[in-house]
Amino acid sequence: MFTMEERVMTKVFDYKSLDELKNQGEGKYFYIHTYGCQMNEEDSEKLSGMLKRLGYTRTEEKTEAEIILFNTCCVRENAENKVFGNLGQLKALKAKNPDLIVGICGCMMQQEGMADKILKQFPYVNIIFGTHNAYKFPEYLNRVKTEGVQIKEIFNKEEEIVEGLPVDRKSDVKAFVTIMYGCNNFCTYCIVPYVRGRERSRKPEDILKEIKELVANGYKEITLLGQNVNSYGKGLENEVSFAELLRMINEIDGLERVRFMTSHPKDLNDDVIKAIKECGKLCEQIHLPVQSGSNRILKKMNRHYTREYYLLVLNKIKREIPDVALTTDIIVGFPGETEEDFIDTLELVKEVKYDAAFTFIYSRRNNTPADMMLDQVNDEDKHNRFNRLVEAVNSNVIAQNKAYEGKIVEVLVEGTSKNDESKLSGRTRNGRLVNFAAEGVKVGDIVNVTITKAQNFSLIGEVCK
């Protein structure tokens, strides 16, 4: 009897037995470079899982890889430029090893004409595929190896969600679980709806099954992913709301923590806030992108809420969940943004006192409405505003961290500290990074830690005796 994973893998190859696949990559290595968001990271975990199922071993060294795969992002121009630069560097490797297989996939490939541009500029690329047909990667790889063909296949429309793909997760403690794909919001600056497609929700039973399997394998924390998780349930035969899904997940025995991202302010309703308040496994952390503090700019962005409504939602969250950590995304230099508009954003940041913020300079994206706007902001003003925004955000973060000195916090141990291998590292329920020395504590443990020192973007502590 095949498992779901085996049925998917054999269906891809149209083979009768998985045994014919297992030894294809024995003794060979692959390298994956991931650009962009957490959903791209999870996509790469699936690509890695498929390759490992074929016998390949992952490496962090391009020079020893038989397969090099770039999983791309196109949300900002800088990410695209990095892809072009890294592809160019492979020319020498390909010359030394003509059998090296180079693949490129992801959001960037869904843009009209991009695949042809890649092939023209980098003719040594072997495989190009998009976001909607990543599950077919083993088939493409097999054809390149056995037929010597060059493959370019981009599905222009989303298909049904493919369940059961093998996943090679980076962590043994926490995992990403995608609950829905695509976006229906069409913010004027954003290319995601065009490259990820319309909203499609996974069936709740498939989500619950995946999480239960993760818990059985020792995972303590999961992060639910979606372009807009608040929209979960749309399109299901029996509609289930995001709040209802959260309550179902909260009932899973052995699961310790649940996070989710990203939420759209217009859809974060009272039921979700109530679920976070009442469900003990849901962490007190909400990522709620504001993008701008100016009503005029929010309207141009097609965000469907006002500054006043956003603050109303935040105040409700703070009232119902007093210990909540609030994080956000902010764009500066959007077309038409004036100094007055930027001051509105700066004042909002100072009022909310975010625990963290992802700040971005507006990047023009082809075929988005914002790209066609005539009132583009010059680079000097963009960078000046960006620097002022970062300073305001960081001053809030540092002050918030300072308030934790002397407090006892619950930390899930995730691994060794990146800055000091003699220390362990983990996060509080509301997402703060804590580094601490501890004997007899191992990865996956949940411990109480006394914070002894606050650094700018992390905390130092000692395990409570």
Side-chain angles (χ1 to χ4, degrees):
M1 180 69 70
F2 283 144
T3 64
M4 174 67 80
E5 173 190 310
E6 289 170 335
R7 285 200 299 273
V8 171
M9 292 293 282
T10 53
K11 180 181 178 182
V12 165
F13 280 91
D14 195 25
Y15 285 168
K16 293 181 180 179
S17 172
L18 190 64
D19 293 336
E20 297 178 61
L21 310 179
K22 288 181 178 177
N23 300 321
Q24 283 197 5
E26 188 173 345
K28 299 177 182 178
Y29 295 89
F30 70 93
Y31 171 92
I32 296 180
H33 189 114
T34 307
Y35 304 81
C37 67
Q38 290 86 354
M39 293 196 74
N40 272 21
E41 289 182 35
E42 203 223 14
D43 288 344
S44 287
E45 288 180 342
K46 290 175 180 173
L47 291 165
S48 179
M50 288 187 274
L51 284 165
K52 284 195 170 183
R53 202 71 178 87
L54 299 177
Y56 291 90
T57 301
R58 185 161 185 164
T59 179
E60 297 304 317
E61 299 294 332
K62 294 190 191 81
T63 52
E64 65 179 14
E66 319 281 333
I67 300 167
I68 294 178
L69 187 61
F70 292 145
N71 185 6
T72 64
C73 171
C74 60
V75 171
R76 279 169 288 280
E77 185 179 16
N78 188 46
E80 287 189 4
N81 290 338
K82 287 181 179 178
V83 172
F84 288 126
N86 286 331
L87 276 177
Q89 292 173 10
L90 295 185
K91 185 176 182 179
L93 271 181
K94 189 78 171 183
K96 286 182 181 179
N97 178 15
D99 293 330
L100 172 66
I101 294 175
V102 177
I104 182 166
C105 64
C107 296
M108 189 172 160
M109 298 304 99
Q110 290 292 148
Q111 297 178 89
E112 186 176 352
M114 182 59 72
D116 291 332
K117 180 179 178 180
I118 293 287
L119 289 176
K120 183 177 180 180
Q121 192 168 345
F122 309 101
Y124 45 83
V125 171
N126 302 96
I127 308 172
I128 295 179
F129 56 99
T131 58
H132 303 316
N133 56 322
Y135 70 94
K136 297 191 70 174
F137 173 58
E139 175 194 331
Y140 303 146
L141 178 62
N142 187 58
R143 287 181 57 198
V144 169
K145 290 168 68 70
T146 59
E147 302 171 25
V149 296
Q150 187 179 53
I151 292 175
K152 180 195 78 172
E153 187 162 282
I154 312 292
F155 289 3
N156 292 323
K157 184 172 176 57
E158 60 273 12
E159 293 192 328
E160 290 185 11
I161 295 170
V162 177
E163 297 285 353
L165 292 172
V167 184
D168 172 35
R169 302 185 190 274
K170 284 188 174 182
S171 169
D172 296 325
V173 175
K174 58 181 187 176
F176 295 130
V177 175
T178 297
I179 63 171
M180 62 179 299
Y181 299 87
C183 182
N184 292 352
N185 287 311
F186 289 93
C187 300
T188 56
Y189 55 82
C190 188
I191 200 168
V192 167
Y194 307 99
V195 298
R196 285 281 183 179
R198 302 296 81 77
E199 291 175 352
R200 293 103 63 210
S201 300
R202 292 179 65 195
K203 296 177 182 177
E205 55 267 32
D206 291 329
I207 297 168
L208 295 173
K209 179 177 181 291
E210 181 177 354
I211 296 173
K212 288 175 182 177
E213 289 174 351
L214 287 167
V215 171
N217 287 318
Y219 285 83
K220 300 291 181 68
E221 175 181 306
I222 58 107
T223 299
L224 307 175
L225 297 181
Q227 255 74 42
N228 177 16
V229 290
N230 305 123
S231 293
Y232 175 79
K234 292 179 181 177
L236 293 176
E237 187 174 341
N238 299 309
E239 190 165 312
V240 175
S241 71
F242 181 51
E244 290 170 332
L245 179 68
L246 289 175
R247 292 185 182 278
M248 292 178 194
I249 293 171
N250 190 67
E251 296 300 317
I252 296 176
D253 291 336
L255 180 62
E256 298 286 346
R257 292 180 174 184
V258 181
R259 305 184 193 275
F260 58 85
M261 65 186 314
T262 293
S263 292
H264 196 293
K266 71 178 176 61
D267 299 317
L268 186 63
N269 58 34
D270 292 349
D271 289 342
V272 173
I273 296 171
K274 189 175 180 182
I276 299 169
K277 178 182 179 180
E278 295 177 352
C279 296
K281 295 174 183 179
L282 297 181
C283 290
E284 298 80 12
Q285 180 184 19
I286 297 178
H287 185 71
L288 199 62
V290 65
Q291 305 301 5
S292 175
S294 162
N295 282 337
R296 194 176 71 84
I297 297 300
L298 288 172
K299 187 174 182 179
K300 288 190 72 175
M301 288 178 166
N302 196 38
R303 291 291 288 173
H304 298 290
Y305 57 83
T306 63
R307 171 197 182 98
E308 291 74 23
Y309 179 81
Y310 181 89
L311 289 172
L312 182 69
V313 173
L314 280 198
N315 289 331
K316 191 179 298 183
I317 291 169
K318 289 180 177 180
R319 185 172 63 249
E320 296 296 325
I321 314 165
D323 296 328
V324 70
L326 294 168
T327 59
T328 196
D329 295 342
I330 302 172
I331 297 171
V332 298
F334 185 81
E337 182 189 71
T338 64
E339 179 67 13
E340 290 74 21
D341 294 319
F342 173 70
I343 293 298
D344 285 344
T345 299
L346 210 56
E347 290 178 349
L348 183 140
V349 166
K350 293 175 181 177
E351 178 180 348
V352 174
K353 295 181 171 58
Y354 289 107
D355 294 86
F358 299 96
T359 53
F360 307 100
I361 293 174
Y362 167 71
S363 178
R364 297 178 74 163
R365 301 285 74 204
N366 289 338
N367 301 316
T368 60
D371 183 46
M372 309 298 177
M373 295 178 183
L374 300 178
D375 47 355
Q376 301 290 325
V377 178
N378 66 69
D379 286 344
E380 183 179 353
D381 284 343
K382 283 182 182 178
H383 285 89
N384 174 271
R385 292 170 190 170
F386 178 78
N387 292 336
R388 291 155 63 194
L389 176 64
V390 169
E391 183 180 353
V393 168
N394 288 350
S395 64
N396 285 338
V397 173
I398 292 167
Q400 301 270 50
N401 281 351
K402 194 71 177 173
Y404 273 78
E405 289 185 345
K407 289 186 177 181
I408 296 174
V409 295
E410 179 191 280
V411 176
L412 171 61
V413 184
E414 298 176 6
T416 56
S417 170
K418 291 182 179 179
N419 299 323
D420 185 349
E421 291 186 358
S422 69
K423 288 185 170 65
L424 293 173
S425 179
R427 292 192 180 270
T428 64
R429 284 179 59 91
N430 61 13
R432 283 181 165 78
L433 180 66
V434 182
N435 296 305
F436 57 95
E439 294 183 5
V441 176
K442 62 183 184 299
V443 173
D445 286 348
I446 295 179
V447 294
N448 289 325
V449 176
T450 301
I451 302 304
T452 57
K453 182 181 179 181
Q455 297 185 315
N456 288 354
F457 303 105
S458 63
L459 304 172
I460 305 295
E462 297 175 351
V463 173
C464 299
K465 302 297 184 183

